[in-house]
Amino acid sequence: MDFTKIFQSQKDFFNTHKTKEVAFRKETLLKLKNILKENENRLYEAIYKDFRKGRFDTFLTELNLIYNEIDFFLKNIEKLSKPKKVRTPLSLQPGKSHIYYDPLGVTLVIGAWNYPYSLTLIPLISSIAAGNTCVVKPSELPENTMHLLSELINTNFPSNYIHVAEGGIPETTELLKLRYDKIFFTGSPKVGKIVYEAAAKNLVPVVLELGGKSPAIVTGTADLEVAAKRLVWGKFLNGGQTCIAPDYLLVEESVKPELLQLIKEKLDEINYSDGAEHYTSLINKRSFDRVLGLVDKSSIYYGGRSNGETLYIEPTILDNVSWDDAVMQEEIFGPVFPVIGFSNYDEILQKIIEREKPLAAYLFTKDDTEKKKLLDFVSFGGGCINDSLMHITSDYLPFGGIGNSGIGNYHGAYGFLSFSHQKSVVEKATWGEPDWKYPPYNDKKLKWIKRVI
Ligand code: NAD
């Protein structure tokens, strides 16, 4: 595939100004939605073949979010793309000031494998809504979903507007050599650095949606029943392969036995057995081996079984884990949940602060002071109080990381802004201008300037 040719054709198409027409953007989004709806069964089949992800989970965590994003833009593009009038300071009077939301040009979206539809299509939707052209590079690991995405997009849209490029590292390396107007990358911090470096060579702006270790904290004041239920759901959804999954659990010692017992009951009740429709396998053998390699058998409180044939790992809870254990040194990205007890809340916050800034943090508490301390002192991408994962589902909240967990954000209007340039324009009247800004200067003019500014 000649990426340079596609890139150039998208540049040429962008310069026809067609993508800037709001009606054209809406038409494209509606067409995309219809294509996905018509092919829903094929989308379910492909993802099931790739890592046994079931229909309900695929609808809830992928298609539903994609449809919502399209609907949000169908409703809001006019408003978002309209120049915004802002105040004009006295020094610029008489005049008026506007922010114009300019499309950027040719954009590149690189996706991670774990939510193969939403992590490629939601940035694509934002890019289209903002009036750009787009090359999408899905992850090569779930190959059935990659092929299907490429078929559905490439047979229905011209490649000079939207194109899915298939491939792994060599193809992505080639793609990254081109001078896009924006690169939107979702993946690991390690590859994020490679993307950032390649983008820097051409001064291409980036959004990096990365990962890391996201803590969940349960304090002595929490509703333990609610905490157990919501943590089990958030941790083991998608087989624990969610960027914002609670990576590890910090629980106040006084309630630890009760919380662990409740978690155990929830796990038994849901029954995450091998082959269950609501439970997802690991993506490949490499990942399966890596995650099992993090399990210290002497710490297993619950679970621990696995099946190398189906790449199934049972939800596994590790108790009495220490900060130095292997499982605490890297993002787990699998169904293993280490638990560390604590007796001093402030100290535990300090431990989090000393590590890389997490993509997400979750706190279960009924105490406002505890809540305030987390929000005031700990830097993290986003999160929930008394829930897990759900902040990602709101169009009204920017989604993104900070520090090692990412740069920039998207979802709803924030995605539109990430794929737009905010062009600031002052429009001056041709009359009524005082002449104090023009030389030659004198003390009287300086006095005036000081007064006005
Ligand atoms: P990854 O970084 O291995 O791969 C992501 C993409 O980069 C893929 O398309 C892959 O083909 C490409 N790639 C891989 N190596 C490359 C290289 N050397 N040069 C150029 N391109 C390369 O990530 P992954 O395994 O697909 O996903 C898991 C990671 O992504 C986790 O860290 C997870 O937390 C993170 N993630 C973040 C979000 C988010 O929204 N912040 C969402 C999902 C996943």
Side-chain angles (χ1 to χ4, degrees), residues 246-258:
D247 184 273
Y248 60 98
L249 173 60
L250 303 167
V251 53
E252 201 162 329
E253 289 286 2
S254 58
V255 294
K256 194 173 93 172
E258 193 183 342

Side-chain angles (χ1 to χ4, degrees), residues 128-158:
I128 295 304
N132 302 289
T133 70
C134 192
V135 174
V136 181
K137 210 298 289 177
S139 168
E140 70 282 19
L141 300 186
E143 55 176 334
N144 294 290
T145 58
M146 174 182 72
H147 293 322
L148 184 57
L149 277 176
S150 141
E151 181 206 313
L152 295 180
I153 300 284
N154 294 351
T155 56
N156 285 293
F157 295 97

Side-chain angles (χ1 to χ4, degrees), residues 111 113-114 137 140 172 186-188 191 209-211 243 331 399:
W113 68 264
N114 57 328
K137 210 298 289 177
E140 70 282 19
T172 319
T186 304
S188 58
V191 180
E209 295 283 347
L210 310 177
C243 56
E331 182 181 1
F399 178 78

